[in-house]
Amino acid sequence: MTDSLCDRRPEPTLERLLADLVPPPRFAQARLENYVPDPAHPSQQEAKERVSAFAAALDRPRGGFLSRLRRRSEAARGIYLDGGFGVGKTHLLTSLFHAVEGEKVYGTFVEYTDLVGALGFQKAVDLLGASRLVCIDEFELDDPGDTLLMTRLIRELSDRGVSIVATSNTLPDALGEGRFAAQDFLREIQAMAERFEVLRIDGEDYRRRDGVAEISALPEQEVREHAAAQDGATLDGFDELLAHLMRVHPSRYGALIDEVAAAHLTGVHGLTHHHDALRFVVLVDRLYDREVPVLLSLAPVGGADADGRAAASEPGDGVLEDLFSAELLRSGYRKKYLRALSRLASLARDGLVLSR
């Protein structure tokens, strides 16, 4: 019987949470030397040079006692890599991680919030405060409570002399814009922003440069047959999976796909509500990090349902269009949704190759 993500109830231990604070498999070999800037966008070369200089500065000898004492009394500054999706921010962040010697941690925004939840704030600060470098990927806010938590965490780690480097699609003083009453948290957000040197990285999505644009779908029967024949495959109905994701904390989506060789989804349709869409975005991110191919089929013909979900133009196969409604794409989460579309298109292409 084919495995199903819906049957999984991941309960990662604290040891597992800590072990996961390293770059994901997709970026295990990312290095500054193999980051290739696009000549059409000089900011990519500039960011590479600045990150290289930052890594070299961190690895310089730390000097004597007075030098260390002075360093502790001064808040450490970090780098904030801002730009669109697919311009190489995560590649640069993981390259920095690999370039720096000594204690260091790497995780997504949601992984750090989960760690704080598991340890308690002060224990998390003490644990992370022993690092020279803390890397935070996907600094995007879905909840105002997380805003306060992470800005305070960054401030306290910085005060301890920990260097912090983060990536995001949103400038630090614009976090939360269009999502919640950001003015209520403006002081906290600005205090965090002052700790960073912002590097803006321009460019095109490299996945599109590689010809990945459409999210390819297969006939449902083909998806089911491939799932049954593939070792390590999972098979789930899209609606059932969305319902299951409501019961699993997003920080556990990585554990949810442990040892999955290929994910198979049937009945995929458009999304119109943020709560479903944002959870699915996190799942797509973890699948992408783990390089898990996705094979999917579309919901059957029949027009839109009561929630306005888009139906497939053909039964099962074709191209997935309008995964996120126009209203969702006009929201403050627009960049996050566009990134997910780009990543899912890449995973679906891998799935298409796997099925042939």
Side-chain angles (χ1 to χ4, degrees):
M1 181 177 177
T2 305
D3 191 11
S4 167
L5 296 178
C6 292
D7 292 333
R8 298 184 172 198
R9 302 289 189 276
E11 295 287 345
T13 63
L14 176 58
E15 290 73 20
R16 166 65 188 271
L17 294 177
L18 296 174
D20 280 348
L21 292 180
V22 294
R26 181 175 291 274
F27 296 97
Q29 302 305 316
R31 299 293 186 275
L32 289 167
E33 294 76 18
N34 56 34
Y35 175 78
V36 181
D38 185 344
H41 299 279
S43 61
Q44 294 186 15
Q45 178 64 35
E46 293 168 5
K48 178 179 180 178
E49 292 172 358
R50 182 65 192 93
V51 169
S52 298
F54 191 84
L58 279 179
D59 278 340
R60 288 195 194 108
R62 291 182 168 251
F65 172 77
L66 291 178
S67 174
R68 292 194 298 272
L69 185 64
R70 183 167 56 252
R71 188 173 289 108
R72 284 180 193 159
S73 67
E74 299 174 355
R77 287 187 59 80
I79 292 179
Y80 191 97
L81 300 172
D82 170 71
F85 52 90
V87 297
K89 301 187 302 297
T90 300
H91 188 127
L92 287 172
L93 184 65
T94 51
S95 296
L96 173 65
F97 178 91
H98 292 303
V100 172
E101 299 294 332
E103 292 295 321
K104 54 196 175 179
V105 292
Y106 175 102
T108 62
F109 181 91
V110 71
E111 286 174 323
Y112 286 112
T113 58
D114 191 42
L115 183 67
V116 173
L119 287 176
F121 185 83
Q122 195 54 53
K123 285 186 178 180
V125 170
D126 292 340
L127 175 70
L128 298 174
S131 302
R132 301 180 62 196
L133 173 68
V134 170
C135 298
I136 306 173
D137 200 19
E138 301 169 13
F139 202 116
E140 301 177 18
L141 304 181
D142 300 341
D143 179 90
D146 288 343
T147 310
L148 297 175
L149 178 68
M150 288 301 290
T151 53
R152 182 185 170 199
L153 182 66
I154 286 173
R155 185 171 63 248
E156 296 212 12
L157 291 175
S158 177
D159 287 344
R160 293 189 180 206
V162 179
S163 295
I164 298 172
V165 180
T167 72
S168 179
N169 297 324
T170 309
L171 288 168
D173 58 1
L175 287 168
E177 198 172 82
R179 306 178 193 183
F180 51 80
Q183 64 272 16
D184 294 341
F185 306 94
L186 190 58
R187 182 178 303 172
E188 291 286 343
I189 293 170
Q190 287 178 336
M192 181 195 73
E194 291 170 357
R195 306 294 174 106
F196 289 105
E197 171 190 358
V198 176
L199 299 181
R200 172 72 189 184
I201 306 177
D202 301 304
E204 300 175 0
D205 179 4
Y206 76 90
R207 288 175 287 268
R208 288 187 177 272
R209 294 202 304 268
D210 291 341
V212 180
E214 296 181 335
I215 302 174
S216 301
L218 298 167
E220 180 173 329
Q221 187 60 30
E222 186 173 335
V223 171
R224 292 183 176 277
E225 290 174 355
H226 188 272
Q230 171 78 36
D231 290 337
T234 58
L235 174 65
D236 294 272
F238 191 54
D239 285 323
E240 291 76 13
L241 179 60
L242 293 175
H244 184 59
L245 294 180
M246 292 178 63
R247 298 185 289 270
V248 179
H249 191 276
S251 64
R252 300 179 180 183
Y253 289 3
L256 184 70
I257 60 171
D258 277 351
E259 300 180 4
V260 173
H264 299 69
L265 302 176
T266 61
V268 179
H269 55 69
L271 298 171
T272 59
H273 301 295
H274 284 301
H275 56 264
D276 283 336
L278 289 171
R279 280 188 286 265
F280 188 62
V281 165
V282 177
L283 180 64
V284 170
D285 285 340
R286 299 293 78 80
L287 290 167
Y288 184 79
D289 286 345
R290 303 284 187 87
E291 300 180 296
V292 178
V294 174
L295 292 84
L296 59 88
S297 67
L298 303 181
V301 175
D305 64 14
D307 288 329
R309 293 165 174 161
S313 57
E314 294 291 339
D317 63 342
V319 174
L320 174 60
E321 298 177 348
D322 303 324
L323 175 61
F324 303 114
S325 69
E327 182 178 358
L328 293 183
L329 292 176
R330 287 194 299 267
S331 73
Y333 299 106
R334 171 180 171 80
K335 291 180 181 178
K336 179 177 286 192
Y337 292 141
L338 292 176
R339 182 190 70 212
L341 290 173
S342 172
R343 289 182 166 185
L344 185 56
S346 178
L347 295 176
R349 182 186 65 172
D350 294 342
L352 199 62
V353 171
L354 191 63
S355 69
R356 298 309 184 213

